[in-house]
Amino acid sequence: MSQVFSAETHRNMLARIPHCTGREISDWLRTVEEGPALVRFEEKVSWLRHEYDLAYGHAKAIVHEYDLRRAARRLR
């Protein structure tokens, strides 16, 4: 079962990712966008973890942010 992060925890995790990975969030979001056409959330998280050696929490935060922004684009 996956963890559920609060909005505050999600923001804090996103803020730490550039320091921990050396890449900005925008770079990671572009990586997910240009990556394989995976459908399920956990598939994307697993792909990021194994392809880029990310911690589970970081990969999950990146995919969650990607999904949030994608949903917001659809509402416009």
Side-chain angles (χ1 to χ4, degrees):
M1 175 184 247
S2 65
Q3 301 166 289
V4 176
F5 295 144
S6 70
E8 180 181 0
T9 301
H10 177 68
R11 284 190 305 274
N12 290 338
M13 184 74 74
L14 287 179
R16 287 193 306 268
I17 288 173
H19 173 73
C20 295
T21 66
R23 291 177 63 183
E24 294 298 319
I25 294 300
S26 59
D27 293 337
W28 286 115
L29 297 176
R30 191 169 29 263
T31 297
V32 174
E33 179 72 29
E34 295 171 355
L38 302 171
V39 177
R40 294 179 48 237
F41 181 88
E42 286 296 331
E43 288 176 326
K44 294 174 192 173
V45 171
S46 181
W47 172 73
L48 278 176
R49 289 186 68 208
H50 292 94
E51 188 71 23
Y52 297 98
D53 197 30
L54 291 177
Y56 176 75
H58 292 153
K60 183 176 176 181
I62 291 165
V63 174
H64 182 61
E65 185 66 17
Y66 173 81
D67 287 347
L68 287 173
R69 291 184 186 195
R70 194 169 129 216
R73 283 194 310 257
R74 280 192 230 150
L75 293 177
R76 291 186 199 167

